[in-house]
Amino acid sequence: MSNQTTDTHVYLFGTCLIDLLYPDAGMASIELLQNAGIQVIFPPAQSCCGQPAFNSGFRSEAREVARKQLDCFPKSYPVVVPSASCAGMMKHHWPELFEGNRDEERAYEIASRVYELTEYLVDRLDYQPVDKGESTTVAIHSSCSALREMGVADRIEKLVGGLQQVTCVEQAYKSECCGFGGTFAVKQPEISGAMVTEKAASIRDTGAERLISQDCGCLMNIGGAFEKQGEGPECQHIAEFLLERSNGS
Amino acid sequence: MSESRNRILEALKAHSSEADLPSPPVYKPQLTWSKDEKLDCFQTMLESVHGEVHRIQEDQLGEKLAQLLKQKEVKRLLCSPKFPQAIYDGLNAIECLRYDRHISEWKEELFNSVDASITTTLCGVAQTGTLVLWPDREEPRLASLVPPIHIAVVEADTIVETFAEAISEGNWASQMPTNALLISGPSKTADIEQILAYGIHGPKQLIVLIVNNQE
Amino acid sequence: MDHKLGEEVNSRFGKRIGEALADPQIRRNFRNALDGVMAKRAEQFPDPDELWQLRNLDKAIRANSLHKLPQLLEQLEQQLTDNGIQVHWAVDGEEANKIVSDILDGRGVKKIIKGKSMVTEETGLNHHLEQLGYEVIESDLGEYIIQLAEEPPSHIVAPAIHKSRLEIADLFAEKFPDIPYTDDVDEMTHSARLILRKEFASADAGISGVNFAVAETGTLCLVENEGNGRLSTTAPPIHIAVTGIEKVVEKLSDVPPLLSILTRSATGQPITTYFNMISSPRKEHELDGPEEVHLVLLDNGRSAIREDDELDATLRCIRCGACINHCPVYVRVGGHAYGTVYPGPIGSVLEPQRLGIHEAGKLATACSLCGRCGEVCPVKIPLPQLINRIRAESNEAASDSTVRGHNSLRNQKEVLTWKLWSALYCSPLLYGLFTRTATVLRVLAPSKLGAWTRYRKAPKPAARSLHAMAARKGVDHE
């Protein structure tokens, strides 16, 4: 892993969830990268990595949507994704999805340059977070994809740990799934509901002022539970949090 | 042979590729322990699972046995002819039984009125605190299993580092006995709320005497 | 339990989940038990490199066994026969049960003592033997408890894990009114010892499972802590072992690394109290041990599972239960909710294949794909990947699929939804129109989204999409 990157440009793959529901997380990702001197390209033809259909057992639909994305990254720049679950889909499942298919080679090639945002910041940019904010207490929830599929959950810990005015508190059962799981939340709503209810309670018990994650799916799930229950910390994507701390606002 | 046998094997063979997978390597954990380290590990591991361990010299066996049996209030001991008769001589009031009949002739008695047994061991395994037994006519299978106290004698020199070593050094593959047995502690269960309880079916107490052979 | 395991799995799954989630006692029992088991396992693997190497080795050993399965089974049969152990083959559970009862028939057998065996749960052997008038007694403490309670196991390693100490104390009090009530674990254990000792001494036959069957030497290996496995296979004059055909391993030297990872993964023990290796019946000069030993090799769908190059990894399983212990779904719904012999992640992969998608495919929906099961599997079965594959087999199987009942869960409404989704997300034009409409009309977004909003507020589209914001800020397009 080179800490002194020679990257001049990166592609940002914004993800469908961020596009429609959390665009501020996407813009913050772009701004963080730009502030670090990287030229960010946002291919306008992008939509979704195909994960929702893939995880529901509809692989041909997933493949068609994923295929459209392959055209978005023609140059050899890194593809930065502000979501570990979408990055995991692109890095690990695109090759599988296109196996034996005319796009197999392309899928492999793109997969090899996919980075989850915090992974990119730490591994490629050696990003040193700046903290101009007031002192605060946060809890971190890493997505299952960040923890296990991508194995990058230590990067968000490192980034938040580098903020001098921020204290990290740890919730019980920290590495356990929040219960989102894409269409799992729809197909098994009661189990998913039990999981998120307990996850929300364990985070609330820490007394943290904010919950930070690298995945908006988890934040939508846990944050939705906080709102429903009428109490809980504010939820924020790591990109927005880092940007806000560096601006001191 | 049966029709089902052929059906199963044919189905399996129809979906077998000719290509050979590379054979998995033989497992050899790299441990390099001195004799003392092996002994210490063996003892620590056994004690961690409620085994009672004593280190003795060869000529202390009879004395130690008498002392233990008295302390445990053993009245009837199932003996092994593999030890010199002398070790049983000092047991006085304790009745020494021999397992010299077929089990069907004295099953009830063995299950209900024998307090303890003593057996030899083939070897010990340091890494896991394990006794290896190869029961035979002189020390039948139930001898180490049915009485509530099992006293096992291990010669210090026989303790190897790992189970894998015991198998390869002892060339087990060419001479497997009717029953080969690894014992690591007294019988236990955690089937109620994961709480450990000892002596559910096998011995409640496992007493291991490590005999240091004087050189 | 309202139903026989393995029947109406799909149709009753939702109801069973609802019942389990509504029972706070069950949820506490599972959480407490599994927290302990997970911590004990973690303590056994302090060195990630050693774990990594051992998992790779054990995966290779199991893959090798499956690759050479027909040859190894023939070798196993030959060796066992040479050693004096009688070998029988059963295509399905019914045949296995019949083989067992035929062995016992006319031999004056009345009482049968059983060591723990999941394969005989699979075949429903106890029920079969009881119908023929035999008395069948489970001797593993957990199995004994659930036999008293007339329930199936809720976990493959710890069958009574769903019951609390107090529930078990009440059960003993009800079944054994002569024994004074106690909720002390040592005292309950002692009572069970006394009761079952009589059964061991008087049983006419013993039935057990097998953890590994060694082809090289013709050896049946059993892993246990209690001594009931040793007693069941030593005290009665007849011993019948029943095992799935996948349990064979090639060499005796394959056993130590498998044993090491099995006990550490299953219960967090460096080794179990007993490891029992049986290679023959009583020899003429020996004074105990069964005069007859039989091995029943059961297929029951396994050879079909092996036909698929991805799903065959299912058969590497050594039944440690680590995937189950670490599953955030299992810990909340427990084993009975699945309605199958094997619950949790391995059950959600194995049972839909064994019973067919039409019967049990829905189990694969009860998974958030969190990946913990795959992370802890000692033989590196890619469980999340296989669960995902079962979902694909349920809806859009390949034309050459060998999975029973593939595509039987495909429903037109869902198919249409995904077709529309695909059309929308494939076309930048339609997709742009969709996000623009959704963001502009965000106030109209539904505040109720079915079950989602029972537990959470509904998310609202942003005022502007990321596409719109990036364009407005002049972020490069290419």
Side-chain angles (χ1 to χ4, degrees), chain B residues 183-195:
Chain B
I183 300 178
S184 312
S187 154
K188 64 171 178 267
T189 183
D191 274 345
I192 303 178
E193 280 191 2
Q194 304 297 302
I195 298 165

Side-chain angles (χ1 to χ4, degrees), chain A:
Chain A
M1 267 175 265
S2 85
N3 283 338
Q4 295 302 311
T5 182
T6 53
D7 296 345
T8 54
H9 293 74
V10 301
Y11 290 110
L12 189 96
F13 185 77
T15 84
C16 61
L17 199 70
I18 286 179
D19 192 25
L20 190 59
L21 301 175
Y22 304 101
D24 291 341
M27 286 313 294
S29 305
I30 292 172
E31 228 175 294
L32 278 180
L33 292 164
Q34 287 173 337
N35 291 350
I38 302 283
Q39 196 82 3
V40 180
I41 301 165
F42 186 85
Q46 62 177 286
S47 60
C48 170
C49 63
Q51 185 178 205
F54 182 71
N55 285 352
S56 303
F58 288 85
R59 294 187 175 185
S60 54
E61 286 77 6
R63 195 177 298 114
E64 290 324 302
V65 170
R67 196 192 308 281
K68 291 286 172 187
Q69 318 307 311
L70 297 179
D71 299 332
C72 295
F73 316 108
K75 296 193 179 125
S76 63
Y77 306 143
V79 180
V80 178
V81 188
S83 153
S85 90
C86 308
M89 177 72 196
M90 296 162 78
K91 199 172 185 67
H92 299 289
H93 302 299
W94 276 8
E96 188 187 329
L97 199 54
F98 290 102
E99 200 181 294
N101 193 286
R102 65 189 147 93
D103 290 307
E104 182 174 353
E105 210 172 307
R106 225 154 46 111
Y108 264 97
E109 192 279 315
I110 294 171
S112 72
R113 52 187 160 99
V114 166
Y115 294 86
E116 182 273 332
L117 175 70
T118 62
E119 179 191 20
Y120 187 81
L121 290 175
V122 173
D123 296 0
R124 300 281 291 189
L125 295 188
D126 194 16
Y127 184 85
Q128 300 299 326
V130 178
D131 196 359
K132 295 183 188 161
E134 305 279 305
S135 77
T136 186
T137 309
V138 304
I140 296 172
H141 171 80
S142 272
S143 67
C144 296
S145 311
L147 273 163
R148 290 173 276 268
E149 189 168 59
M150 294 288 287
V152 299
D154 56 335
R155 315 300 201 277
I156 191 172
E157 302 282 344
K158 188 176 174 197
L159 290 168
V160 175
L163 296 166
Q164 276 157 6
Q165 296 296 310
V166 177
T167 309
C168 244
V169 286
E170 193 160 305
Q171 62 274 32
Y173 300 106
K174 185 174 177 181
S175 69
E176 195 171 279
C177 178
C178 71
F180 178 49
T183 51
F184 165 72
V186 179
K187 293 218 167 185
Q188 292 292 352
E190 304 303 330
I191 304 173
S192 171
M195 288 165 76
V196 74
T197 303
E198 287 172 38
K199 178 59 78 180
S202 70
I203 293 167
R204 223 173 13 236
D205 287 347
T206 64
E209 291 170 66
R210 262 185 234 197
L211 176 69
I212 309 296
S213 176
Q214 66 286 78
D215 269 76
C216 285
C218 308
L219 291 175
M220 174 173 78
N221 187 40
I222 303 168
F226 286 151
E227 271 189 73
K228 178 85 178 183
Q229 295 157 9
E231 52 176 340
E234 189 191 332
C235 296
Q236 202 171 33
H237 187 269
I238 179 68
E240 288 173 90
F241 184 62
L242 288 175
L243 189 66
E244 187 188 298
R245 299 304 297 186
S246 69
N247 292 335
S249 60

